[in-house]
Amino acid sequence: MARVAIIGGHGKVALQLAKDLAANGHQVSSLFRNPDHVSEVAATGADPVVADVEKLGAQEIAELLGGHDAVVWSAGAGGGSPERTYAVDRDAAIRSMEAAEQAGVKRYVMVSYMGAGKDHGVDPENGFYAYAEAKAAADEHLRRSGLDWTILGPSALTDDPGTGRISTGPAQDGSVSRADVAAVAAEVLEQPGTVGQFIEFINGQTPIRDAVSSQATA
């Protein structure tokens, strides 16, 4: 059993991930900002922790992460203003990485998106630009950190039922269900060989465990 902290615990991917991890015997703490969501988060089997990481400093976040074995970042500004996008998807994410290091939590899984990176190619006039820039900065900070990181790059997300099957690789046309993104996040936590990997994927034909294994190092 591992103790896993999910940041952004009321998101659709996070709610499913908490259910998956709890069903597999892990102890989950889900961090989220709105106290109205306590009962919904608790219903996943996770311990609900009301905490607004946008407003907390690294030391305050570290105190919440202490005693855990892994952190999953699944938070986001949700397409709000560019200012808030940078505040959450870049700045708060980076503080959470610093907090994980301070708390001695080495394992860190980042939910990003397919094509994320400094060469994302998004036009500055595009409404997606701030998110692309924020994720590029956060992901790069994570790569340079001392954490045992894995970055997930799902394609366009759907609310379709999970299939349990994906296809890995960059620049693929297609989408992936949020349930399958959660399943991939749970699987990479089980496979230490995924440390240091950026795994891009869509729904496909390969069972998730096998697909993740193909991306892991020996």
Side-chain angles (χ1 to χ4, degrees), residues 3-4 12 19 26 37 40 59 72 76 80-81 94-96 104 108 114 127 136 146 164 167-168 179 192 199 207 216:
R3 291 194 66 199
V4 181
K12 292 180 180 179
K19 290 179 184 177
H26 299 301
H37 297 151
E40 188 176 357
Q59 182 57 46
V72 178
S81 68
I94 288 173
R95 287 198 302 275
S96 77
Y108 191 109
M114 181 176 285
S167 172
T168 58
I199 303 175

Side-chain angles (χ1 to χ4, degrees), residues 94-167:
I94 288 173
R95 287 198 302 275
S96 77
M97 298 166 201
E98 295 168 348
E101 291 190 274
Q102 289 179 32
V105 184
K106 292 284 288 182
R107 190 71 171 104
Y108 191 109
V109 176
M110 166 65 75
V111 179
S112 190
Y113 72 95
M114 181 176 285
K118 291 184 289 186
D119 299 324
H120 55 71
V122 178
D123 190 291
E125 299 301 316
N126 190 308
F128 191 73
Y129 181 79
Y131 181 76
E133 284 285 285
K135 294 301 278 187
D139 292 357
E140 184 62 22
H141 187 94
L142 182 56
R143 287 184 170 96
R144 294 180 177 179
S145 74
L147 298 169
D148 293 336
W149 59 267
T150 304
I151 299 172
L152 303 184
S155 60
L157 304 179
T158 74
D159 289 325
D160 295 337
T163 67
R165 294 174 179 271
I166 60 172
S167 172

Side-chain angles (χ1 to χ4, degrees), residues 33 54 76-91 126-134:
R33 65 185 178 88
E54 182 182 357
S81 68
E83 291 78 16
R84 185 156 188 269
T85 295
Y86 288 119
V88 176
D89 293 282
R90 181 190 63 194
D91 301 341
N126 190 308
F128 191 73
Y129 181 79
Y131 181 76
E133 284 285 285

